[in-house]
Amino acid sequence: MESKSYTTGSRDNANRNLEGSKTLMASHFLRALFRIQQTSTTRSSFAGRRRRIRRAAYASMAYSAGTRRAWSRALLRKLRSRARLRFPRRLSRAARPQRGDTDQAQVLRKLVPGGPGMDYCKLLEETADYIRCLTTQVRLMQTVMDSISS
Amino acid sequence: MSSRRSSRITDEEISELISKLQSLLPESRRRSMSRASAAKLLKETCSYIKSLHREVDDLSDRLSDLMSSMDSGSPQADIIRSILRS
């Protein structure tokens, strides 16, 4: 039997998922940027365009993870309701402390989309995935910037 | 990844998840974390996420700036078009 160089295991599956979602993220974000470029006129404000770009960033993150993750589902809901995309600094009413929560877990709940609804264990899992996605998005934006400004 | 549906989460599971978070911290933040408590790691994680959010804001700013100097006939627009097509 031919020996393959693939390894099995959930970590590798996670990596494969990440590769696929990176492409999805990039294409979604670039399309959005292009649309913003086409539709923003000299009259439209800098702040408006900045807001649209920022929104596109979080949208491409959410679409790349799809409905697989609680944080992306929460983010998608926020985007569809056209609510303002903010990570509140003060503890909102929805973010009630859960059992076993430390102060830091409370802070984390405010930072990760969908945080308030998760138990501690799920919060830690979702945070890891959210961070991976965020760093990918940031790198994507840096790459786009570098290629545009060159 | 399989997740146990039992309501009793083991300490081991928690510490595994926390060390996974530690591994996601960038090198510069990880240096002081080798023997950190869970609370310290969570704090660093929160700080890291906040800085990532700020980076998204900052990059949106700068992209907006760059795009204002682009028009649809510029070479930069062609770059984006070609990336989309590939």
Side-chain angles (χ1 to χ4, degrees):
Chain A
M1 186 184 283
E2 214 179 295
S3 69
K4 305 259 183 189
S5 53
Y6 311 137
T7 52
T8 54
S10 62
R11 168 169 281 177
D12 208 54
N13 279 331
N15 284 336
R16 274 200 283 269
N17 276 335
L18 191 61
E19 282 312 308
S21 46
K22 273 184 199 171
T23 315
L24 209 59
M25 196 187 288
S27 88
H28 190 285
F29 185 62
L30 287 170
R31 271 176 233 281
L33 276 189
F34 200 63
R35 257 194 319 269
I36 294 171
Q37 167 64 24
Q38 299 289 79
T39 58
S40 70
T41 64
T42 46
R43 271 177 297 148
S44 63
S45 67
F46 172 87
R49 191 169 49 232
R50 187 188 67 82
R51 244 180 284 125
R52 290 175 73 190
I53 294 176
R54 182 178 174 271
R55 202 180 180 84
Y58 285 106
S60 60
M61 280 176 59
Y63 281 111
S64 73
T67 51
R68 280 187 288 111
R69 284 287 172 182
W71 69 259
S72 56
R73 290 195 297 270
L75 200 47
L76 285 170
R77 274 196 298 272
K78 248 192 189 170
L79 289 161
R80 278 166 190 164
S81 76
R82 302 186 141 265
R84 298 222 352 231
L85 269 182
R86 257 188 294 141
F87 299 100
R89 277 178 246 278
R90 269 170 299 138
L91 202 63
S92 62
R93 233 173 293 133
R96 272 163 61 232
Q98 304 230 357
R99 219 149 50 103
D101 254 16
T102 60
D103 285 333
Q104 285 311 314
Q106 290 248 73
V107 178
L108 195 54
R109 273 182 212 293
K110 287 184 285 174
L111 293 172
V112 176
M118 300 173 195
D119 65 44
Y120 187 57
C121 189
K122 184 127 179 110
L123 178 65
L124 296 179
E125 276 180 28
E126 292 285 317
T127 300
D129 197 70
Y130 184 57
I131 289 180
R132 268 186 240 119
C133 203
L134 259 178
T135 52
T136 307
Q137 178 65 38
V138 164
R139 255 182 269 133
L140 169 64
M141 291 171 90
Q142 281 166 341
T143 305
V144 173
M145 262 211 42
D146 292 342
S147 26
I148 294 184
S149 51
S150 65
Chain B
M1 171 172 157
S2 68
S3 54
R4 271 175 248 154
R5 288 267 163 241
S6 73
S7 53
R8 194 101 12 104
I9 310 290
T10 64
D11 286 343
E12 195 181 308
E13 243 185 311
I14 300 275
S15 77
E16 243 181 77
L17 289 170
I18 296 208
S19 65
K20 182 154 73 156
L21 286 179
Q22 180 178 20
S23 72
L24 288 173
L25 293 173
E27 206 51 54
S28 53
R29 286 175 182 266
R30 226 185 302 166
R31 250 175 262 132
S32 56
M33 292 286 125
S34 53
R35 266 162 314 176
S37 63
K40 196 144 191 260
L41 278 165
L42 280 189
K43 189 172 182 189
E44 196 61 34
T45 300
C46 288
S47 158
Y48 183 42
I49 293 181
K50 278 190 217 158
S51 80
L52 287 171
H53 286 165
R54 278 195 302 268
E55 268 200 85
V56 172
D57 287 349
D58 181 59
L59 286 163
S60 302
D61 244 4
R62 290 155 73 190
L63 273 171
S64 185
D65 222 1
L66 276 176
M67 281 169 67
S68 64
S69 56
M70 271 170 65
D71 56 60
S72 42
S74 74
Q76 291 95 342
D78 290 336
I79 291 175
I80 293 193
R81 263 189 285 254
S82 64
I83 295 176
L84 282 173
R85 257 187 243 121
S86 66

